[in-house]
Amino acid sequence: MAFCITWSRRLLTVGVAVALTSCSGDLTPPADIGSETVSSVKVTRHTRQATYAAPVNAAQTTENVDPYLDQPNLAGMGDASADRAASLDQPLVDAAPQATGPLAADAQAMTIPDQGVNIDDGLGVAPVGLAEEQARDIAEGATSQPVVAGVGTDELVDMSSPSTPQTVPFDQAREANQITLPSRRRDAPEQKVAFLPRFSDPMQVPESYGGLTKADKACRQDLEKLGVRFQDIPAISNGPSCGIAHPILVSGFASGVQLKPAAKLNCNVTRAFAKWVRNELVPASRYRYFSGIKAIHQMSSYSCRKMNSRSNNPWSEHARGNAIDIGKFVLNNGKEIDVRKKGFFQFREKGLLKTVREDSCRYFTTVLGPGDAYHGDHFHFDLRARKRGYRHCSL
């Protein structure tokens, strides 16, 4: 049984081989393809001519050209004649431009020279080489790289920083930059700065630094003893005839007497006025009204003007802070006493004003008003200096 199975397998293999052999004859297609009858399928290699254009001038070719590039239709595809015609229609890279239409009457054909187009020449710009550009930068000092001259020698010179020409005597000068002409302009002297010490107390400033004189210091000490309320203010200067070197601002006196408004005066007239208030005015008001003085109203202190405000008169003592005008007194009981001339029946007021006016001549060199043409509503007190100690008191 096993023997039969083995022989049957062998016969089956032989039969399959015979069947395959009988079917491997000519393969004939069922119909014609195109105008030719294909009897069998054959592998055919088609060739295609190259589309590279042959050089116009045979001189342009070289001996070292690879022959592979001259083989036509390397790819072997398409119509070689059509590709050649298309390649001839395309302009060559180095060929002259061809006109696509008719030219105008005044138009000229543009030709490109063999050496190319010089754009710098057309723009009017001179070409600058690298060496020339570097030399120009060195001359203008615009280079950032160190420039050294004298390479190969023992003396190297740094050319990147401007050098000062060496000056020599006039008779030995060989170049113009070695000659130094004398200048008419004198060298400005060195300015010296002095640092002045600061003083919080004006009494401590030395006189050499613009401080108070000994007389001014002594006067201020007297004001403090008299109980005057004042403060030092900056110097006043309004020209050669107006001003106070060391002015003070006076606001009150002893016993609570106020000066309204505060007056700008020099120290000497303030001291004289303070003595007059303490020794004459306050006692007289207490004697006649049984009340002290609360306030004194002044009408003028420092003022840059001439006497009686007339332009042809000498300068007034007010222009130096050496005078004061008083217009009214106010008592502690609230009574106000105007210094203008009183009527016949105003006995107490007339007596008070007459007393203080007569006594004021011992403190001031000038006493005017009231009743004067230019001082009808106030007392005028000043310390005008006159010859032989003369005092003017219009009583």
Side-chain angles (χ1 to χ4, degrees):
M1 184 68 181
F3 177 80
C4 292
I5 294 173
T6 303
W7 278 103
S8 61
R9 290 181 178 177
R10 292 179 180 179
L11 292 175
L12 180 61
T13 303
V14 173
V16 172
V18 172
L20 293 174
T21 304
S22 62
C23 294
S24 61
D26 294 337
L27 298 179
T28 303
D32 294 340
I33 298 177
S35 62
E36 298 178 358
T37 301
V38 181
S39 62
S40 62
V41 178
K42 298 180 180 181
V43 178
T44 304
R45 182 178 300 273
H46 296 276
T47 61
R48 182 182 179 184
Q49 294 182 358
T51 59
Y52 304 105
V56 179
N57 188 4
Q60 296 179 359
T61 60
T62 59
E63 298 178 357
N64 296 329
V65 177
D66 192 351
Y68 176 77
L69 299 178
D70 295 334
Q71 297 180 5
N73 199 2
L74 297 178
M77 298 177 62
D79 189 358
S81 61
D83 292 342
R84 177 176 294 276
S87 63
L88 294 177
D89 294 338
Q90 300 296 328
L92 299 180
V93 176
D94 297 334
Q98 299 178 0
T100 58
L103 297 176
D106 56 348
Q108 298 179 0
M110 182 181 67
T111 59
I112 301 177
D114 296 339
Q115 66 274 15
V117 179
N118 189 351
I119 300 178
D120 293 337
D121 191 11
L123 297 177
V125 180
V128 179
L130 179 59
E132 183 180 355
E133 183 177 0
Q134 291 180 350
R136 183 178 58 188
D137 293 341
I138 294 173
E140 296 179 356
T143 178
S144 59
Q145 301 296 331
V147 181
V148 180
V151 178
T153 63
D154 295 337
E155 297 181 359
L156 298 179
V157 180
D158 185 8
M159 304 296 294
S160 58
S161 59
S163 59
T164 304
Q166 183 180 3
T167 58
V168 296
F170 182 80
D171 54 349
Q172 300 179 6
R174 297 182 179 180
E175 298 180 2
N177 60 353
Q178 294 180 343
I179 301 175
T180 303
L181 298 178
S183 176
R184 296 182 179 180
R185 183 177 179 181
R186 298 181 179 179
D187 296 336
E190 183 180 359
Q191 185 177 6
K192 298 182 180 180
V193 180
F195 296 92
L196 301 178
R198 295 183 178 180
F199 299 92
S200 58
D201 186 3
M203 300 287 289
Q204 297 179 357
V205 181
E207 186 176 354
S208 58
Y209 289 161
L212 301 175
T213 62
K214 294 181 179 180
D216 289 329
K217 293 181 180 179
C219 179
R220 281 161 171 74
Q221 293 175 356
D222 293 340
L223 294 182
E224 294 177 357
K225 294 178 181 179
L226 293 171
V228 180
R229 296 191 297 275
F230 70 96
Q231 63 180 9
D232 289 279
I233 59 177
I236 301 175
S237 178
N238 298 112
S241 301
C242 297
I244 309 174
H246 302 288
I248 58 176
L249 186 66
V250 184
S251 58
F253 304 95
S255 302
V257 179
Q258 301 176 8
L259 182 62
K260 296 182 178 181
K264 295 179 181 179
L265 302 169
N266 62 34
C267 187
N268 292 331
V269 72
T270 303
R271 178 172 54 185
F273 189 77
K275 292 180 178 180
W276 174 78
V277 170
R278 186 189 65 174
N279 299 333
E280 307 298 338
L281 180 61
V282 173
S285 64
R286 288 177 179 175
Y287 175 76
R288 295 183 180 276
Y289 288 95
F290 303 100
S291 177
I293 300 295
K294 180 180 180 180
I296 302 173
H297 291 260
Q298 60 96 5
M299 297 179 64
S300 178
S301 55
Y302 169 78
S303 178
C304 186
R305 58 183 175 85
K306 292 190 175 182
M307 294 177 59
N308 302 329
S309 300
R310 295 295 184 91
S311 60
N312 55 348
N313 288 347
W315 285 97
S316 172
E317 292 299 312
H318 288 282
R320 290 184 286 271
N322 201 34
I324 186 171
D325 295 342
I326 305 299
K328 183 173 61 176
F329 305 120
V330 179
L331 304 182
N332 289 333
N333 58 12
K335 182 176 178 58
E336 297 182 359
I337 301 177
D338 193 346
V339 300
R340 288 180 295 184
K341 190 173 183 179
K342 302 302 177 183
F344 180 77
F345 296 101
Q346 294 175 319
F347 301 106
R348 286 202 298 180
E349 292 182 6
K350 286 194 300 182
L352 175 62
L353 296 177
K354 183 180 179 180
T355 301
V356 298
R357 190 171 183 275
E358 291 177 354
D359 295 338
S360 62
C361 288
R362 295 186 297 174
Y363 301 91
F364 304 101
T365 58
T366 303
V367 178
L368 301 173
D372 184 84
Y374 298 100
H375 308 85
D377 58 350
H378 62 274
F379 286 142
H380 171 86
F381 303 142
D382 69 45
L383 291 177
R384 187 180 185 87
R386 296 182 177 89
K387 296 180 179 180
R388 301 178 182 180
Y390 171 75
R391 293 173 181 265
H392 180 78
C393 295
S394 59
L395 301 176

